[in-house]
Amino acid sequence: SSDVCSSDLRGQFEILDRSKHIVFIGTPSFSKVDELRDLNLFLNDFAFYDPTVDLLHVIKSIEINNDEIKELLKKINEQSERIKKSEENYKAIISSATQIIYKTDINGNIIFVNEAATSVTEYSREELMQMNYKELLAPETRLKVSHFYFKQFKKLTPSTYIEFLILTKTGKIKWVGQSVQLNRIADVYQFTCLVIEITDRVNIRSE
């Protein structure tokens, strides 16, 4: 038996005009464009019709584009982290606010509410998140307030303020003042509400 050693050989054959000899012009073996610099190689070190250099330039361009994509993805991830931290800080501030802050969808279903709402309404946050804001309205003000916010949405009024009565979980009647901002996120509308209890102020005003 015999061992056979094989290797890929790239290059071209050339016929010398005077001597009629045939010579083989080989291409240096390398796999990356960066190796050209490391090996101190130039274009005239390659066979004239060898497409390897052009191919590696294309590969190098792809590597550069990949690096640009990686850098872009890195920046996007960094921005996402900053946005996430900003949202967490925002939620922490909202949750610890002394005024009631809540959000509803366009139908009035509560989709967010902070802790301050529990002391005024006597409902837990979990209970409030399953409710429509109309369920908190005192019966005598329900139609008036519902119509008020229907008009705000219909006219796309950016912000409004109204005072009305609410009914707590234990049946207490309280006055509140509510500022509402109509927001559009993509094609979805939401109401962002800031509520302050004004029962004492109304009672003093009534005396």
Side-chain angles (χ1 to χ4, degrees):
S1 63
S2 61
D3 296 330
V4 177
C5 178
S6 64
S7 62
D8 292 332
L9 199 60
R10 295 196 305 270
Q12 69 190 56
F13 288 96
E14 292 287 338
I15 300 176
L16 300 180
D17 292 336
R18 293 183 180 179
S19 62
K20 303 299 183 181
H21 290 152
I22 297 177
V23 296
F24 177 79
I25 304 175
T27 293
S29 177
F30 66 98
S31 58
K32 295 182 179 179
V33 174
D34 293 339
E35 291 181 11
L36 296 175
R37 183 183 62 252
D38 298 336
L39 298 173
N40 198 29
L41 295 173
F42 300 94
L43 289 178
N44 56 8
D45 292 316
F46 293 83
F48 297 136
Y49 305 110
D50 190 344
T52 306
V53 177
D54 291 335
L55 176 60
L56 286 175
H57 277 300
V58 172
I59 294 173
K60 184 62 177 178
S61 297
I62 294 173
E63 290 176 355
I64 292 172
N65 289 335
N66 285 339
D67 289 339
E68 291 175 349
I69 292 171
K70 288 177 183 177
E71 185 64 25
L72 179 60
L73 290 174
K74 180 182 177 183
K75 289 181 179 179
I76 291 173
N77 289 333
E78 290 174 351
Q79 289 175 352
S80 298
E81 283 299 316
R82 286 197 294 269
I83 292 171
K84 183 179 178 181
K85 289 180 181 179
S86 178
E87 289 178 346
E88 289 173 352
N89 291 336
Y90 170 77
K91 288 182 178 179
I93 292 171
I94 296 299
S95 297
S96 61
T98 55
Q99 293 86 9
I100 297 174
I101 299 173
Y102 71 99
K103 288 185 176 183
T104 74
D105 61 20
I106 203 60
N107 296 313
N109 299 310
I110 298 173
I111 57 176
F112 169 81
V113 63
N114 68 346
E115 195 65 35
T118 61
S119 60
V120 177
T121 65
E122 299 175 348
Y123 289 97
S124 68
R125 288 186 70 244
E126 290 73 19
E127 289 173 317
L128 290 168
M129 289 292 292
Q130 301 298 318
M131 297 172 67
N132 188 289
Y133 87 95
K134 295 175 186 177
E135 298 175 63
L136 297 169
L137 300 175
E140 59 266 36
T141 61
R142 191 167 296 158
L143 184 61
K144 174 186 174 182
V145 175
S146 299
H147 183 65
F148 180 84
Y149 289 121
F150 174 77
K151 285 199 330 184
Q152 180 178 359
F153 174 66
K154 186 176 181 180
K155 295 182 179 181
L156 297 180
T157 306
S159 60
T160 59
Y161 176 81
I162 188 176
E163 297 177 354
F164 53 87
L165 290 168
I166 65 167
L167 187 66
T168 70
K169 185 176 182 179
T170 59
K172 296 176 184 176
I173 296 291
K174 294 182 180 181
W175 276 98
V176 296
Q178 179 166 277
S179 296
V180 171
Q181 187 85 25
L182 179 61
N183 301 314
R184 182 180 179 181
I185 302 174
D187 292 327
V188 179
Y189 285 94
Q190 294 179 351
F191 289 110
T192 301
C193 312
L194 173 65
V195 185
I196 302 175
E197 184 184 355
I198 57 171
T199 303
D200 293 339
R201 192 180 77 191
V202 173
N203 288 340
I204 292 173
R205 194 168 59 195
S206 299
E207 291 176 357

